Amino acid sequence: MVIVIMGGRCCGKSTLANAICEKVHADVYTNRAYLQMDDDETEAKVRFMSMLDLAQTTEDYVIYLINDPALTELLPPCSLRVLCKTTLKNVKKRFEAQLGEKLTPPVAAMLEKQYRSFDGCAHAMALDPTSGDTSLLAAEVLDEAQLLVNCFRAGKEAAP
């Protein structure tokens, strides 16, 4: 099962992934981690895409965290796409906490620009992992992933 958790910086992607990993074992990849699969970037992408394609038909969990909409081109068709989104104010607050200092105007502008970058991306679920019980959100995601895998398998079995 492939679960894609996507969104801009500091929207709770890692928080949600960690909550899922507390419930099931999952291999977790982030952004361009595929570059470790080969020295050649094109070959690395091909290997990563093949690995994701195979994973969508197994009981094993693969979680792919992305903060760049361009990386959605690597996703297999039956992956569960979860969009993480919180308020821009919350994003800035969380980013400040990560930095340990006040945001500079250029950093704030970068966060504002990135904030809506995933709005046009297809997704099955939209969640705010920064508010509420992430354990419940993780259970929701896992239930949805199981439904998707069951539909994928039923489609394969029904195909001639």
Side-chain angles (χ1 to χ4, degrees):
M1 291 179 216
V2 178
I3 300 171
V4 180
I5 303 175
M6 56 189 179
R9 287 184 172 84
C10 292
C11 64
K13 296 180 304 294
S14 296
T15 302
L16 181 58
N18 290 338
I20 292 169
C21 289
E22 287 176 7
K23 296 184 177 303
V24 297
H25 170 77
D27 292 326
V28 180
Y29 298 89
T30 59
N31 295 309
R32 289 178 171 73
Y34 59 82
L35 292 172
Q36 297 173 358
M37 294 184 155
D38 199 283
D39 291 336
D40 178 76
E41 183 174 356
T42 302
E43 183 59 28
K45 279 184 181 180
V46 168
R47 286 183 181 189
F48 186 67
M49 291 170 67
S50 294
M51 186 266 307
L52 290 177
D53 194 48
L54 179 62
Q56 72 183 343
T57 63
T58 70
E59 293 294 322
D60 299 328
Y61 288 91
V62 172
I63 298 174
Y64 185 30
L65 304 170
I66 60 174
N67 67 8
D68 179 354
L71 295 174
T72 60
E73 73 182 26
L74 304 176
L75 305 178
C78 287
S79 57
L80 175 62
R81 297 176 186 211
V82 180
L83 175 63
C84 289
K85 188 120 181 185
T86 188
T87 65
L88 182 57
K89 181 179 178 181
N90 200 17
V91 167
K92 288 179 177 181
K93 182 176 136 188
R94 290 169 58 91
F95 201 78
E96 270 186 352
Q98 273 188 358
L99 287 177
E101 58 188 56
K102 287 282 192 189
L103 295 181
T104 63
V107 171
M110 179 265 311
L111 291 172
E112 290 165 11
K113 181 180 178 187
Q114 188 185 52
Y115 182 69
R116 298 205 187 314
S117 63
F118 280 88
D119 286 358
C121 293
H123 57 277
M125 303 176 80
L127 304 171
D128 182 355
T130 68
S131 64
D133 186 348
T134 54
S135 180
L136 292 175
L137 294 178
E140 269 185 65
V141 170
L142 290 170
D143 287 346
E144 192 68 26
Q146 191 60 57
L147 287 172
L148 188 62
V149 136
N150 291 345
C151 287
F152 181 75
R153 286 188 183 137
K156 282 212 170 236
E157 291 169 7

